[in-house]
């Protein structure tokens, strides 16, 4: 009785907290004058303790990022670069299996604009974001920034002054006060450390990529040839060593300049934004398939021969300039082998943004240049190098298999973002099993490709490599039946994004039945309606209560409830047999038909998407905007749990099961 009493009190408190419209972020805005016609639009957010707002750069597949939509832009003003943010934190989300970038306590977003129409008095924008703690809230605000009268050029010498803005927000009546932009003192060290670790990871992987490029037919034979050239053409050994070191440094410079060029052309953060875009994920997929096909022997990716000839003539000039052109000639001649690796590294480092492409090229070129310098300093080591032969093509083909496997990760990203379910977990794993299995068979010599030499036997090293690849292939096979595959958890789609969320052979009555109109198979094989009216009509038909599950595709705690609470036998049995489940997604971005769009009577916001509709329904009927939210209703949509009408995230399985049972008892009265 005592435990029941405490549980009841906790339940009432939790329900009271959840059953209200939450606004855990207080926003303020200001306009800062930068020049005569340029201004910074500054949005400051103060976030309640424990809540997180997600960066505009957080990768797809996780929580929802900040999205800024500018209004009446054409002919009035231009955006100068991407909106800048205060430092964010980075953490791996083991539910969505992606890294997420988020803000705690404070967030500042600054967009620089250039006004092109002197008559512009203000700039309006819509600021959309997701904030999560034990529940998630998808919200958007309309901000209006006042633009002061544009001065003539003579006033440019005067000190720049800040101009406070007027905030127009139809969804809240909270008072707006001007707050200062975050100062360097507010920046936390943890994001910097995370960024440094990420850059070191890129450098290390790029360094390994450089060593892989060395072991290809285009580069490896060049080592003894180049070193012999320097040692024979130089008047003294010291001069030969010096020239070889300059040669190595020149290689590094060429690739670092390439990284700098990519960063300069696209911008430090633009590449990150592009890499999380659906179309660019598809483009990256196509590029990597092309690179893989080249490595497997279908064709060679080569730069024009005229380039190599022109550079080679410049290399004959001698001196430091000649050595620099020799290094450039190596980059051009070996492009058919190094190009796909360099391209892959640039694609991967682009997803990190910032100076990652430069760091990647530094790591790659350092590994590529190091042997040329070392063997020039110690020519005797050349005798220990293995002879060129068919093994070089084996390395190249192996890289092709790896490129092909990586390509499907980008295709998977695009499918996840669009929620098309064309490329689910089983399909991804089947392709990886086929790719790595074929690679293992190739290493055993059972398959030959266009540029392979005749093979009478395989080396012990090649045998061990084949065993490793085939073991990895066997490891992935149980994943087709629902095994978690923790070694590669960051690569395939999550378990929930699959044909069999319960695993093959798992409990799924729904899969064996003809689904009712408007229903689909949800978590744990449950029959789920995603349309309120159809779900309620079916509940009336089968004479069962309905559980309204206000959820979100990007709601972490919604997934935790499904994975940890709904999966329990006593809860799952109720969900399968005693209620009708209606899941309404508050972050569904699909537009409503024009005739169904409206202006909310509760908030004054324009309801344009399916997610907007269900969010407004929550606020209007249940006075809350958080997900997950669970409500048991009868066939007329009335609440069944009288004392505690709604509940939200609560990992207590007994609590959730008793709440469901109480509602069902009330339905049967």
């Amino acid at each position: 009785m005592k435990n029941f009493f405490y549980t009841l009190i906790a339940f009432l408190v939790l329900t009271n907290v959840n059953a209200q419209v939450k606004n855990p972020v207080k926003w303020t805005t200001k306009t800062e004058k930068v020049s005569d016609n340029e201004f910074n639009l500054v949005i400051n957010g103060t976030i309640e303790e424990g809540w997180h707002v997600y960066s505009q750069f957080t990768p797809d597949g996780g929580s929802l990022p900040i999205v800024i939509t500018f209004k009446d832009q054409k002919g009035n003003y231009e955006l100068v670069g991407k909106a800048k943010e205060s430092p964010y934190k980075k953490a791996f989300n083991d539910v969505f299996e992606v890294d997420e970038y988020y803000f705690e306590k404070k967030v500042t977003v600054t967009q620089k604009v250039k006004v092109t129409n002197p008559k512009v008095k203000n700039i309006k924008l819509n600021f959309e974001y997701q904030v999560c703690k034990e529940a998630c809230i998808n919200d958007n605000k309309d901000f209006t920034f006042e633009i002061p009268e544009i001065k003539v050029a003579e006033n440019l010498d005067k000190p720049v002054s800040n101009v406070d803005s007027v905030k127009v927000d139809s969804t809240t009546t909270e008072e707006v006060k001007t707050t200062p932009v975050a100062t360097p003192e507010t920046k936390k060290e943890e994001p910097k450390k995370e960024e440094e670790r990420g850059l070191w990871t890129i450098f290390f992987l790029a360094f390994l990529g450089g060593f892989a490029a060395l072991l290809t037919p285009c580069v490896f034979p060049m080592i003894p040839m180049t070193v012999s050239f320097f040692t024979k053409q130089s008047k003294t050994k010291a001069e030969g060593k010096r020239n070889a070191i300059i040669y190595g440094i020149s290689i590094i410079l060429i690739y670092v300049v390439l990284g700098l060029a990519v960063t300069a052309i696209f911008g430090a953060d633009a590449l990150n934004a592009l890499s999380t875009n659906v179309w660019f994920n598809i483009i990256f997929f196509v590029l990597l398939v092309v690179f893989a096909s080249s490595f497997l022997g279908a064709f060679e990716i080569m730069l024009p021969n005229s380039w190599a000839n022109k550079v080679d003539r410049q290399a004959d000039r001698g001196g430091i300039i000649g050595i620099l052109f020799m290094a450039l000639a190596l980059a051009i001649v070996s492009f058919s082998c190094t190009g796909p690796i360099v391209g892959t590294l640039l694609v991967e480092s682009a997803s990190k943004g910032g100076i990652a492409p430069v760091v990647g090229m530094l790591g790659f070129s350092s590994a590529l240049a190091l042997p040329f310098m070392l063997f020039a300093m110690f020519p005797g080591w050349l005798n220990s190098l293995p002879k060129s032969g068919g093994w070089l093509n084996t390395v190249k083909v192996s890289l092709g298999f790896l490129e092909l496997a990586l390509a499907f990760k980008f295709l998977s990203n695009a499918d996840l973002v669009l929620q098309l379910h064309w490329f689910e977990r089983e399909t991804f794993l089947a392709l990886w099993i086929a790719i790595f299995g074929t690679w293992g068979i190739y290493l055993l010599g059972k398959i030959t490709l266009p540029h392979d030499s005749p093979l009478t036997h395989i080396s012990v090293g090649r045998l061990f490599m084949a065993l490793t690849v085939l073991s990895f292939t066997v490891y992935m096979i149980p994943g087709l039946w629902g095994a978690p595959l923790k070694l590669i958890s960051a690569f395939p789609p999550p378990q929930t994004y699959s044909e069999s969320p319960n695993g093959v052979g798992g409990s799924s009555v729904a899969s064996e039945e003809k689904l009712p109109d408007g229903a689909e198979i949800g978590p744990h094989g449950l029959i789920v309606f995603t349309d309120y009216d159809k779900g309620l009509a079916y509940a009336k038909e089968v004479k069962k209560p309905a559980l309204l599950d206000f959820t979100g595709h990007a709601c972490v705690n919604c997934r935790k409830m499904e994975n940890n609470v709904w999966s329990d036998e006593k809860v799952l049995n109720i969900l399968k047999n005693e209620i009708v489940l209606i899941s309404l997604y508050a972050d569904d971005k699909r537009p409503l038909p024009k005739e169904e769009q409206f202006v909310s009577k509760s908030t004054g916001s324009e309801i344009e998407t399916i997610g907007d509709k269900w969010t407004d329904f929550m606020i209007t009927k249940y006075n809350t905007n958080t997900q997950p939210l669970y409500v048991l209703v009868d066939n007329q949509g009335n609440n069944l749990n009288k004392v505690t009408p709604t509940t939200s995230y609560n990992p207590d399985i007994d609590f959730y099961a008793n709440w469901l049972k109480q509602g069902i008892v009330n339905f049967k009265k």
Side-chain angles (χ1 to χ4, degrees):
M1 179 62 70
K2 184 178 180 181
N3 289 337
F4 173 78
F5 178 71
Y6 286 146
T7 301
L8 180 60
I9 291 176
F11 183 62
L12 291 173
V13 171
L14 180 64
T15 304
N16 184 58
V17 170
N18 286 329
Q20 57 183 321
V21 177
K22 290 184 178 292
N23 189 15
V25 189
K26 305 298 181 185
W27 298 102
T28 61
T29 62
K30 64 184 298 186
T31 304
E32 291 182 339
K33 185 175 180 181
V34 177
S35 67
D36 187 50
N37 63 342
E38 291 183 323
F39 303 88
N40 282 332
L41 311 182
V42 183
I43 303 171
N44 288 305
T46 302
I47 309 168
E48 289 184 10
E49 187 70 32
W51 290 84
H52 296 155
V53 171
Y54 296 90
S55 164
Q56 61 187 321
F57 303 117
T58 198
D60 289 327
S63 299
L64 298 181
I66 290 171
V67 177
I68 307 174
T69 305
F70 289 86
K71 301 178 180 180
D72 302 321
Q73 179 182 345
K74 188 175 181 181
N76 292 319
Y77 60 93
E78 300 173 354
L79 304 183
V80 181
K82 184 80 173 176
K84 296 181 179 179
E85 300 175 344
S86 51
Y88 51 68
K89 287 190 174 183
K90 175 182 175 182
F92 182 74
N93 187 315
D94 56 0
V95 175
F96 293 133
E97 298 178 342
V98 296
D99 284 328
E100 290 185 328
Y101 310 151
Y102 61 90
F103 304 97
E104 291 181 332
K105 296 183 180 178
K106 289 185 178 181
V107 55
T108 298
V109 180
T110 305
Q111 175 65 63
K112 187 176 182 181
V113 297
K114 181 178 181 180
V115 177
T116 55
N117 181 359
K119 296 181 180 180
V120 169
K121 301 298 182 183
N122 55 59
I123 292 177
K124 297 180 180 181
L125 62 85
N126 178 263
F127 190 84
E128 186 178 358
Y129 63 98
Q130 183 179 64
V131 55
C132 294
K133 187 182 178 183
E134 291 181 347
C136 287
I137 299 170
N138 307 314
D139 203 355
N140 67 84
K141 305 290 184 186
D142 291 318
F143 296 135
T144 298
F145 295 83
E146 283 192 348
I147 302 299
E149 184 179 353
I150 296 179
K151 309 294 184 180
V152 293
E154 63 186 18
N155 289 329
L156 290 176
D157 295 330
K158 294 183 179 180
V160 175
S161 60
N162 292 343
V163 182
D164 292 349
S165 72
V166 176
K167 176 183 175 183
V168 177
D169 184 354
S170 60
T171 64
T172 178
T173 58
E174 64 187 78
E175 182 181 358
V176 179
K177 297 181 180 178
T178 302
T179 57
V181 180
T183 61
E185 286 75 17
T186 64
K187 297 183 180 181
K188 299 182 179 180
E189 293 300 320
E190 187 170 341
K192 293 181 180 179
K193 292 179 180 178
E194 284 285 354
E195 183 178 355
E196 288 174 3
R197 284 196 289 268
L199 292 177
W200 275 111
T201 301
I202 292 172
F203 180 86
F204 177 72
L205 293 175
F207 196 79
L208 292 179
F211 273 124
L214 278 171
L215 303 178
T216 57
C218 313
V219 181
F220 188 80
M222 299 290 289
I223 297 174
M225 292 171 56
T226 305
V227 171
S228 297
F229 173 82
F230 284 126
T231 55
K232 291 179 181 179
Q233 296 298 320
S234 303
K235 296 178 181 179
T236 63
K237 289 183 178 180
E239 184 182 352
K241 293 178 181 179
R242 178 179 62 83
N243 290 341
I245 291 173
I246 295 173
Y247 180 72
I249 294 174
S250 299
I251 293 173
I252 294 174
L253 284 174
I254 288 168
Y255 284 100
V256 169
V257 168
L258 175 62
L260 284 170
V262 170
T263 303
I265 292 171
F266 293 99
D269 293 320
L271 281 169
N272 172 269
L274 291 178
S275 67
T276 59
N277 178 276
V278 171
W279 288 109
F280 274 85
N281 271 290
I282 294 173
I283 291 171
F284 291 160
F285 163 72
V286 173
L287 279 176
L288 292 186
V289 169
V290 171
F291 291 160
S293 301
S294 174
F295 271 161
L296 293 172
F299 49 82
E300 287 193 359
I301 301 174
M302 298 181 65
L303 296 176
N305 289 329
S306 59
W307 291 17
N309 294 333
K310 289 178 181 178
V311 170
D312 192 51
R313 285 195 294 270
Q314 294 296 323
D316 294 335
R317 296 171 57 180
I320 294 178
I321 299 298
I323 294 173
L324 178 62
F325 277 101
M326 282 185 64
L328 185 58
L330 171 70
I332 293 173
V333 171
S334 64
F335 185 79
S336 61
C337 291
T338 60
I341 300 175
V342 169
T344 304
L345 288 173
L346 286 174
V347 167
E348 280 296 294
S349 58
S351 66
K352 307 298 181 183
I355 62 169
V358 179
V359 173
M361 290 300 94
L362 178 62
F364 175 83
S365 57
S366 296
L368 196 65
L370 192 59
F372 289 96
M373 293 189 285
L374 289 177
F375 283 111
M377 295 174 69
F378 306 100
W381 290 5
L382 287 172
N383 297 326
S384 63
L385 280 178
K387 294 182 179 179
S388 300
W391 67 273
L392 291 174
N393 192 65
T394 302
V395 172
K396 186 177 177 182
V397 169
S398 295
L399 291 173
F401 281 111
L402 286 173
E403 293 260 8
L404 189 59
L406 183 60
F408 286 104
K409 171 59 179 171
F410 290 98
L411 185 61
S412 171
N413 288 344
D415 184 67
L416 276 168
V417 173
L418 296 174
Q419 290 288 304
L420 296 175
H421 287 268
W422 292 350
F423 201 71
E424 295 177 315
R425 184 180 176 89
E426 291 88 348
T427 306
F428 182 95
L429 289 175
L431 284 165
W432 266 40
I433 290 168
I435 291 169
F436 282 92
T438 305
W439 182 15
I441 295 171
Y442 167 80
L443 290 172
L444 289 174
K446 302 301 181 181
I447 297 175
T448 57
L449 290 171
H451 300 299
D452 284 325
S453 303
L455 188 67
T456 57
H457 67 280
I458 62 173
S459 65
V460 175
R462 182 165 173 167
L463 175 62
F464 283 157
M465 186 65 185
L467 291 174
T468 301
V469 173
L470 289 173
S471 297
F472 179 65
T473 305
V474 173
Y475 167 79
M476 289 190 290
I477 292 175
L480 295 172
W481 284 269
L485 305 181
K486 293 182 179 180
L487 285 178
I488 58 170
S489 61
F491 286 92
Q495 184 66 50
T496 54
Y497 197 79
S498 63
E499 296 176 10
S500 305
N502 288 326
V504 176
S507 172
S508 177
V509 177
S511 61
E512 300 172 2
E513 300 175 352
K514 183 179 179 181
L515 292 174
D517 180 40
E520 59 186 48
I521 298 176
H524 313 295
L526 294 167
I527 297 177
V528 180
F529 288 85
T530 55
D531 182 274
Y532 176 80
D533 293 327
K534 289 182 178 179
L536 209 60
Y538 181 74
K540 187 175 182 179
E541 178 185 335
V542 297
K543 299 178 180 179
K544 291 180 180 180
L547 175 64
L548 304 185
D549 164 35
F550 292 95
T551 184
H553 295 295
C555 173
V556 176
N557 285 326
C558 301
R559 301 293 86 76
K560 287 182 178 179
M561 287 292 290
E562 293 165 4
N563 296 339
N564 303 327
V565 178
W566 287 13
S567 60
D568 184 85
E569 185 175 352
K570 53 180 170 288
V571 174
L572 189 59
N573 184 60
I574 296 173
L575 296 178
K576 281 184 177 180
N577 302 312
E578 299 187 52
I579 60 101
V580 172
L581 180 59
I582 305 175
S583 292
L584 306 174
Y585 286 85
D587 59 359
D588 192 329
K589 299 302 180 185
R590 290 176 296 171
L592 287 167
K594 287 291 184 182
E595 62 274 13
E596 295 183 23
Q597 296 181 12
F598 61 96
V599 176
S600 171
K601 294 180 180 178
S602 300
T603 65
S605 299
E606 294 181 357
I607 307 302
E608 299 177 338
T609 68
I610 295 174
D612 292 342
K613 176 181 177 181
W614 301 133
T615 299
D616 185 67
F617 182 53
M618 293 171 66
I619 294 173
T620 302
K621 189 161 186 176
Y622 302 109
N623 194 36
T624 184
N625 57 347
T626 62
Q627 306 97 48
L629 181 75
Y630 305 104
V631 189
L632 263 175
V633 299
D634 61 19
N635 298 151
Q636 287 72 45
N638 301 314
N639 294 352
L640 288 171
N641 297 78
K642 304 302 180 184
V643 179
T644 52
T646 68
T647 186
S648 185
Y649 175 75
N650 186 346
D652 187 333
I653 295 172
D654 290 332
F655 170 75
Y656 194 80
N658 290 333
W659 180 80
L660 289 173
K661 289 177 182 177
Q662 185 59 54
I664 294 170
V665 168
N666 293 338
F667 177 79
K668 293 179 179 179
K669 287 182 179 179

